[in-house]
Amino acid sequence: MPLSPSDRALGDLLVGRRIITLPQLDEAIELSEKWNVRLGDALLSRNWIEPRRYFETYAQNFDLPFVDLIRDPPDRALLRAEEADIYANRLTMPWRRNEGRLLIATAEPGPETVLYARRRWGADIEFVVASKFDIVFAVQTAFAEALSRRAVFELAELDPKMSARTVFTIPQMIVAYALLSIVLAGLALAPIKTLIALNIAISIFYLGNFVFKGILVSIGGGRSADIDETIAVEARALRTEDLPVFTVLVPMFREAAMLPQLAQALRRLDYPLGKLDIKIVLEASDRETIEAARSLGLEGVFEIIIVPPSQPQTKPKACNFALRFARGEYLVVYDAEDRPDPDQLRKVVATFRRSPPNTACLQCRLNYYNASENWLTRMFTLDYALWFDQVLPGLERLGMPIPLGGTSNHFRIDVLRELHAWDPFNVTEDADLGIRIGQKGYRVGVVDSTTFEEASCRTGQWLRQRSRWIKGYMQTLLVHTRRPLQLLRNTGPLGFLGFVFFIGGTVLAGLLNPLFWLFYAFWLVASAVNIDVIFPQILLLLCLFNLLAGNGAFTYLIMLAPIRRGWLDLIPFSFTLFGYWVLISLAAYKALWQLLRNPFFWEKTQHGMSRHAAAQFAETGGGP
Amino acid sequence: MNRALATVPLTVLVFIAVLVLVAVAVRNGVIGDDALRLWAGASTAADGQFPIGRIVAAYPTLPFLSTTLIAWFTPGDAPAPALVTAGLLALIAGFCFHSFRKAGFSDIRAGAASLLVAFHPALLRAIVAGPADMFLAAFLLVFCLALYDLRARSGTSEVMGVGLALMALAFSHPMGAAFAFASVLFLAFAVRPFLVANSALNVVVALIFPTLFAISAFSYVSWVFPGDGWTFFAAPTQSLSRWAASESHLLGDGALLSLDTSLVMAVALALSAPIAVVMLVIVHRRRPLIMPAAVFIASAIAAALISVVSGFFGDPSAIIVAAPILAAVVVMRVPLACEHRVLATALLMLGWFGGLAGVIMVDPLTVNRLRTAVERQSGERVDALAAGGAAARDDGVLADVVNAPAFLLGRGGARGIFGPASEPFALAMLFDRIDTPFIAVPDPHSNTGAQDRLNRAFPSLFSAGLHGYRVIYQNNTWRLFARIADISSSKD
């Protein structure tokens, strides 16, 4: 699209004042026409001009005064909390009154803003220009408490049944109490029969669990490569000017060292920087990262969102807070250490365009760049390869609800807002949101594009991370089984089954495995003397089948997982799966303990611990 | 017509034809020894006379379990092994028809080609050899198709397909197990080169893991539930020696027998599947089309060789069934065969006649049985079938049916039989006293009678009978005794 006359005049003004050079202007014009963005967005994305300088000149171009909203903040009496979203999205807000006229501060002066402002605040208004960063900062400052409260309680207040704020509901406690009473009564009156009944129930669960996962992998592995190739071609063919604005949220906490690498990874995205709305979301208490972010001198497309202190201090709360300032059509969440495939956003746009209209989210594949660091990272990589490369495509093909992975989930922002976004009380908010999307009649798709992350390479750190995940799965299980019939109705029998085995199976398997290992060890050592009574022959057969076929099947599934990526050197490590299961069980018990004692506590995963990260820090001068 | 529906008439036709063929084969005593054992075992197991542990630890597992299940579910004396065999071959034929049509064959030509495959002499041999051989054929088909898929894509599901097919083969038939072991040598050639270049050993590990794990698991289950399990691998030496004795040796005995077997098998395969030879020669430069077939053929020949060298897997003749399977897959997957449909059909027909020669070469035992049947000569098996038929309405027949499964087959089922696993049989052995309404015993001078447990415990039973019993039926080999009190009471 050709440059607007006002942008041409602005360009001339900037060159005339020697703020930018003529070649820079030419390139910026070319970019803005190619990307279909304003000249300012192109200039800021190239970091050729300081934002404040740009907006000052912008004001002069329109012959309007420039105001510094940090030094001269807006009059709080003129602002309304419920309009905070609008101020942030339109970058336009009431500033002050002057001689009876309302002064409107805007970062986007122009006919559209004038029309909007007159409609909203009447004709008796005047405009001043402010930097977009100042407007965002002013909104954050003015409504810190209200926005923070909304970030924490919106879901809990508007859709309480879907919130993990209440860990156990009263009906759930009654059901649990009744079940426990029945079991105890059974143990008192007919102990052998009760134990056999429990044994049968658990054995059937185990059987269903591994059969279900086997089917998923088989179906997921058969996902047509043609579709992925078609998407890749369509992504490349997308016209740059047609690409929508994409919001990128990067919540960080005490990860100052990761910032340079993160910025580099985002710059590498094959997406016009001028159409990226990047928000680095930082906790107010994290002064170190805030200072580091400010001192880096990032391009104008990077915005810093400061989340005011409040409890629970979780990633979903930070994302909810930042969501209010998002201006994109789509939104993605990345972690600080993420390295997305450069064409990921394009593939997402192409996939959204060919997906059914009820597609609310697209999950990209996740994997690790430090797989070969040690045994734990290898096993973690195998685990992720199975999950994201095989199981999730299987869930998608069967139309089951998909528990989203930690990052690289791309949302339609309107649906995300409609669903009240993430649950800040759930410590695996993404998994919960994925199920909620399914419950609300939307679907999640899978995109063949990978984001590489850093695998936890230390056992303690891994246990903290995994225990949080399992605790979050427990919360998700509790939330979505509050109304089991509604879950069945909303997701269908297959979806219901998928939820039970996928979320429930992961939790229960971790908790039950050690018990059965002990049983088995005792059975071997005691030569079945005392334990045979609760294993009648047919049940013994089922248990043996589960033991053998289950172990064999899971080992095989893990073994097959890296084949898609050609990481065949990981195959022998699948034979050590048992050791990994032991760790998972430890994490599961820790998660259970935490669920009872401190359900909303967020075990922060420390990034930048790998050899790979250390090498990068050495290059960029950072370090954890 | 809907493609899936279009396969129904042919599938039903094949199913019925196989049932008729099996009935004729049973009546004439052509059914193979292994099939008889399986039939009798499954019938006994379905009648609840086997402990569950023995059922799960039985080998060949898949044919035994499926036959037992069918016997358990079907009413009365339904011929479960025949149903399994017919069902499998009907599925193979239906799948071929569906695939041939998909490859561009007209309905008539696809039907003719499917019938040429389904009733290829090697598959006719499998029909009389029983469910295990038909399982072998079915999983060879799955394996061969999976090999082509593996070479084309080498993704997770393709690796899984080959791995699981190998596992299924190992538990379908002893020669399937031999085939699975033999294929390990060649699997690396079936994978796309970039994966092999990455780590050939690890790819092969992923391909054979299900088989190795399943074998370990089966061993463990056999230990927990002592059953027949690996005894099957001890018994085949008998069938191997019978086969070796009847085969005409080109190169000699001893160590040369294995070489001789490989040579015979290679020639038989070539004769039985000329379409594979012709098509693969024509497309020899196109490795993705050549390698899967080459791996398949090499595995089949190596399986025969391993069987003879090790003596563990019985007689290798069953592997001849690989020929029509390969022919069918070549028609499905080699574009040249789809493009030259007349030539393909003609070569399939040629393969049918070649298959006759092939089966005669590799399986003289079955051919002998057929000859005996055609010449209407009586034999111990026919006698056992007749004796079983005579005892069909008798309840409480004491007989060593493990030694003479044909008796059980002639009777139609295990219900009412007191076999070696039953309490009356065990009591008779322990206390030298028989108290069952009926006794069936073969002539101790016959091959069957020499091995009969009743004859060993009661050496004069056949000739002198037993006090209180009298002969109610006899033929050249068998006598059926009834307790006089029971005869009197039935007359009253």
Side-chain angles (χ1 to χ4, degrees):
Chain A
M1 202 176 79
L3 212 58
S4 69
S6 64
D7 270 358
R8 284 205 174 277
L10 174 65
D12 292 341
L13 192 61
L14 289 167
V15 173
R17 295 191 174 182
R18 298 190 178 180
I19 297 170
I20 59 171
T21 63
L22 195 56
Q24 284 177 331
L25 176 63
D26 289 342
E27 195 179 329
I29 290 172
E30 195 184 325
L31 280 177
S32 72
E33 287 179 351
K34 187 175 154 197
W35 292 351
N36 192 19
V37 296
R38 292 193 185 146
L39 183 68
D41 293 327
L43 284 167
L44 291 172
S45 74
R46 282 289 184 265
N47 222 10
W48 286 331
I49 183 170
E50 277 185 29
R52 182 188 170 90
R53 197 98 194 265
Y54 166 76
F55 282 103
E56 279 172 356
T57 317
Y58 201 20
Q60 286 162 9
N61 188 43
F62 281 96
D63 205 15
L64 292 171
F66 175 80
V67 292
D68 181 339
L69 296 185
I70 295 171
R71 203 178 55 219
D72 302 311
D75 180 354
R76 291 289 302 271
L78 299 173
L79 302 178
R80 294 170 61 178
E82 62 273 21
E83 291 184 340
D85 290 8
I86 302 170
Y87 303 154
N89 285 317
R90 291 193 168 268
L91 295 174
T92 301
M93 66 190 300
W95 180 49
R96 289 180 181 178
R97 280 196 180 278
N98 183 22
E99 297 173 358
R101 292 172 75 81
L102 183 63
L103 297 179
I104 305 294
T106 180
E108 295 190 342
E112 203 181 315
T113 302
V114 172
L115 284 173
Y116 167 74
R118 289 199 168 172
R119 227 176 20 248
R120 173 67 193 82
W121 292 291
D124 203 13
I125 55 175
E126 284 179 17
F127 287 93
V128 294
V129 173
S131 151
K132 73 171 178 178
F133 303 99
D134 284 3
I135 290 183
V136 170
F137 182 76
V139 175
Q140 287 181 61
T141 312
F143 302 112
E145 198 176 324
L147 288 178
S148 176
R149 193 185 180 286
R150 204 168 149 190
V152 175
F153 294 109
E154 182 174 319
L155 179 70
E157 286 173 356
L158 298 177
D159 198 354
K161 293 278 186 197
M162 289 286 169
S163 167
R165 185 184 177 190
T166 305
V167 181
F168 302 100
T169 60
I170 291 173
Q172 279 176 328
M173 284 196 276
I174 291 171
V175 169
Y177 184 77
L179 285 176
L180 192 65
S181 303
I182 290 168
V183 171
L184 289 175
L187 286 174
L189 299 172
I192 300 299
K193 282 181 182 165
T194 306
L195 286 172
I196 289 174
L198 281 175
N199 206 350
I200 289 173
I202 293 169
S203 299
I204 290 172
F205 161 77
Y206 266 110
L207 180 69
N209 197 24
F210 78 76
V211 168
F212 174 73
K213 284 185 179 155
I215 291 171
L216 279 183
V217 170
S218 159
I219 291 174
R223 177 185 160 99
S224 168
D226 295 346
I227 297 174
D228 294 336
E229 278 161 23
T230 309
I231 298 266
V233 171
E234 285 179 2
R236 280 197 295 275
L238 282 172
R239 285 153 43 106
T240 310
E241 61 265 39
D242 293 339
L243 291 172
V245 174
F246 219 118
T247 294
V248 179
L249 293 189
V250 191
M252 299 175 78
F253 185 60
R254 293 181 186 155
E255 292 171 299
M258 306 299 291
L259 271 166
Q261 295 171 37
L262 164 73
Q264 197 53 35
L266 294 178
R267 283 186 201 111
R268 271 201 294 266
L269 287 172
D270 176 18
Y271 206 84
L273 265 181
K275 286 191 169 174
L276 287 181
D277 170 34
I278 302 173
K279 316 265 190 230
I280 297 176
V281 188
L282 305 172
E283 295 288 338
S285 59
D286 185 9
R287 300 305 311 169
E288 186 195 358
T289 314
I290 294 171
E291 287 311 316
R294 284 183 176 152
S295 63
L296 266 179
L298 295 168
E299 295 89 331
V301 293
F302 289 88
E303 282 176 31
I304 297 170
I305 304 286
I306 310 286
V307 184
S310 68
Q311 288 301 323
Q313 185 176 304
T314 58
K315 175 177 152 187
K317 184 198 74 176
C319 289
N320 282 348
F321 186 85
L323 177 64
R324 301 296 147 210
F325 303 95
R327 293 188 292 277
E329 186 178 331
Y330 301 119
L331 177 145
V332 60
V333 182
Y334 287 132
D335 278 348
E337 87 282 14
D338 284 0
R339 302 287 174 274
D341 277 346
D343 62 351
Q344 186 169 105
L345 300 188
R346 281 178 171 270
K347 277 187 175 174
V348 166
V349 172
T351 310
F352 263 122
R353 288 188 180 168
R354 63 169 16 236
S355 298
N358 68 336
T359 304
C361 177
L362 295 174
Q363 170 73 58
C364 290
R365 299 169 196 264
L366 301 181
N367 220 304
Y368 294 119
Y369 52 70
N370 61 326
S372 59
E373 187 142 350
N374 56 33
W375 173 80
L376 189 59
T377 57
R378 287 187 176 96
M379 294 310 294
F380 208 175
T381 304
L382 285 172
D383 191 8
Y384 251 40
L386 177 67
W387 188 268
F388 287 98
D389 293 347
Q390 312 295 338
V391 172
L392 291 194
L395 286 174
E396 185 200 28
R397 288 185 74 186
L398 289 173
M400 293 178 174
I402 295 180
L404 299 173
T407 76
S408 301
N409 16 67
H410 302 254
F411 299 93
R412 264 175 53 199
I413 212 162
D414 54 337
V415 180
L416 187 60
R417 286 185 169 132
E418 179 194 322
L419 297 178
H420 313 298
W422 297 271
D423 182 356
F425 294 98
N426 192 313
V427 292
T428 49
E429 75 292 347
D430 300 296
D432 166 71
L433 182 55
I435 306 298
R436 185 153 25 105
I437 285 172
Q439 282 242 53
K440 298 287 182 183
Y442 293 101
R443 70 176 280 276
V444 175
V446 176
V447 179
D448 180 31
S449 171
T450 304
T451 297
F452 289 92
E453 300 187 290
E454 184 192 49
S456 296
C457 49
R458 295 179 190 173
T459 311
Q461 183 195 4
W462 183 93
L463 276 174
R464 279 192 293 280
Q465 185 184 46
R466 185 53 66 111
S467 66
R468 172 167 66 77
W469 291 356
I470 297 178
K471 182 171 73 172
Y473 267 37
M474 289 172 176
Q475 290 178 307
T476 305
L477 187 68
L478 288 168
V479 166
H480 293 278
T481 50
R482 284 173 186 167
R483 290 177 293 183
L485 287 179
Q486 189 174 328
L487 177 67
L488 179 65
R489 214 169 27 244
N490 290 342
T491 58
L494 208 58
F496 184 83
L497 206 65
F499 175 78
V500 168
F501 281 123
F502 211 74
I503 303 289
T506 305
V507 170
L508 279 180
L511 293 173
L512 291 175
N513 279 345
L515 298 178
F516 275 79
W517 294 333
L518 285 175
F519 261 133
Y520 184 59
F522 183 70
W523 184 67
L524 285 179
V525 172
S527 304
V529 173
N530 297 319
I531 212 166
D532 260 7
V533 284
I534 61 164
F535 284 95
Q537 202 171 46
I538 188 82
L539 186 57
L540 178 63
L541 189 68
L542 179 64
C543 288
L544 265 179
F545 181 76
N546 284 343
L547 175 80
L548 297 170
N551 280 293
F554 277 120
T555 305
Y556 192 46
L557 296 181
I558 278 281
M559 186 181 286
L560 292 175
I563 287 175
R564 184 182 174 277
R565 294 179 186 274
W567 295 348
L568 304 184
D569 52 329
L570 293 178
I571 285 178
F573 289 90
S574 53
F575 292 111
T576 65
L577 186 59
F578 180 76
Y580 193 65
W581 283 343
V582 171
L583 288 180
I584 289 177
S585 288
L586 283 175
Y589 278 97
K590 185 176 178 212
L592 183 63
W593 176 249
Q594 273 201 1
L595 181 78
L596 301 172
R597 295 289 304 243
N598 197 358
F600 311 128
F601 175 63
W602 185 278
E603 290 264 27
K604 171 72 186 142
T605 308
Q606 188 69 40
H607 295 298
M609 314 296 282
S610 66
R611 280 203 304 265
H612 194 279
Q616 282 213 320
F617 290 143
E619 278 175 28
T620 56
Chain B
M1 199 192 300
N2 178 297
R3 268 196 177 149
L5 280 178
T7 61
V8 172
L10 184 109
T11 310
V12 172
L13 174 75
V14 172
F15 184 78
I16 293 167
V18 174
L19 286 182
V20 172
L21 279 172
V22 173
V24 172
V26 168
R27 193 171 304 137
N28 292 288
V30 185
I31 294 288
D33 293 338
D34 293 343
L36 280 179
R37 264 199 298 274
L38 184 84
W39 195 319
S43 180
T44 312
D47 197 40
Q49 295 189 30
F50 272 10
I52 188 136
R54 200 170 154 195
I55 295 175
V56 295
Y59 187 89
T61 315
L62 293 176
F64 185 81
L65 287 181
S66 56
T67 309
T68 303
L69 273 176
I70 295 282
W72 194 62
F73 279 116
T74 47
D77 301 331
L83 290 171
V84 173
T85 306
L88 283 171
L89 189 59
L91 281 177
I92 292 172
F95 178 77
C96 287
F97 181 71
H98 176 76
S99 303
F100 293 161
R101 286 182 82 215
K102 217 167 139 187
F105 281 57
S106 66
D107 282 0
I108 292 175
R109 190 163 286 142
S114 305
L115 290 175
L116 281 170
V117 171
F119 293 117
H120 186 281
L123 276 159
L124 288 174
R125 183 206 158 278
I127 290 172
V128 294
D133 285 58
M134 204 50 80
F135 264 98
L136 176 67
F139 285 114
L140 281 175
L141 176 63
V142 174
F143 177 70
C144 197
L145 288 166
L147 279 181
Y148 270 94
D149 291 341
L150 182 68
R151 181 66 196 201
R153 193 167 162 239
S154 293
T156 309
S157 51
E158 288 75 24
V159 173
M160 198 184 211
V162 172
L164 295 180
L166 279 177
M167 182 181 77
L169 275 171
F171 286 86
S172 293
H173 193 286
M175 275 313 293
F179 189 97
F181 285 119
S183 67
V184 173
L185 303 168
F186 310 105
L187 281 175
F189 299 102
V191 184
R192 292 181 79 172
F194 83 91
L195 272 184
V196 179
N198 202 336
S199 175
L201 180 65
N202 288 347
V203 175
V204 173
V205 166
L207 288 168
I208 62 170
F209 173 78
T211 309
L212 294 181
F213 188 88
I215 289 171
S216 312
F218 184 72
S219 305
Y220 182 68
V221 172
S222 297
W223 174 69
V224 175
F225 296 109
D228 285 340
W230 300 117
T231 55
F232 196 92
F233 281 93
T237 34
Q238 274 185 1
S239 66
L240 179 63
S241 52
R242 274 206 303 275
W243 174 82
S246 59
E247 213 223 357
S248 53
H249 304 156
L250 299 174
L251 304 174
D253 289 329
L256 288 174
L257 179 62
S258 56
L259 195 59
D260 181 82
T261 306
S262 311
L263 194 66
V264 167
M265 194 54 75
V267 173
L269 287 171
L271 285 173
S272 307
I275 188 168
V277 179
V278 172
M279 292 296 167
L280 297 178
V281 167
I282 295 174
V283 298
H284 71 279
R285 285 183 190 281
R286 297 171 66 183
R287 290 171 69 90
L289 296 178
I290 287 286
M291 290 316 287
V295 167
F296 188 78
I297 295 167
S299 303
I301 295 170
L305 190 141
I306 286 176
S307 166
V308 173
V309 170
S310 69
F312 283 150
F313 304 99
D315 86 66
S317 56
I319 209 68
I320 187 66
V321 82
I325 296 301
L326 178 63
V329 174
V330 164
V331 176
M332 292 171 202
R333 293 299 170 91
V334 177
L336 197 73
C338 310
E339 289 158 13
H340 299 85
R341 289 167 211 136
V342 177
L343 176 67
T345 315
L347 285 170
L348 284 176
M349 191 169 285
L350 187 64
W352 196 93
F353 291 105
L356 279 180
V359 170
I360 290 168
M361 282 171 71
V362 301
D363 193 9
L365 281 172
T366 302
V367 174
N368 282 341
R369 275 202 299 273
L370 271 170
R371 189 179 300 130
T372 307
V374 169
E375 291 170 1
R376 300 203 167 273
Q377 293 174 5
S378 183
E380 286 186 17
R381 179 173 299 169
V382 176
D383 289 344
L385 286 165
R393 292 187 180 176
D394 299 335
D395 191 16
V397 182
L398 189 73
D400 184 0
V401 288
V402 172
N403 178 53
F407 179 84
L408 199 142
L409 186 60
R411 195 173 173 278
R415 190 175 297 276
I417 289 271
F418 292 136
S422 68
E423 191 178 286
F425 198 101
L427 291 174
M429 294 292 112
L430 277 173
F431 299 107
D432 292 336
R433 186 168 167 271
I434 295 176
D435 192 26
T436 56
F438 299 94
I439 309 165
V441 65
D443 184 347
H445 298 106
S446 66
N447 288 330
T448 315
Q451 306 292 325
D452 192 279
R453 290 173 181 81
L454 288 175
N455 272 333
R456 285 183 190 168
F458 305 93
S460 60
L461 175 61
F462 181 82
S463 54
L466 209 63
H467 179 69
Y469 285 83
R470 71 174 226 221
V471 176
I472 57 167
Y473 169 86
Q474 67 177 337
N475 60 30
N476 287 340
T477 315
W478 284 78
R479 281 182 183 169
L480 180 63
F481 298 92
R483 201 161 48 194
I484 294 168
D486 293 299
I487 300 170
S488 312
S489 62
S490 67
K491 280 180 182 170
D492 296 341

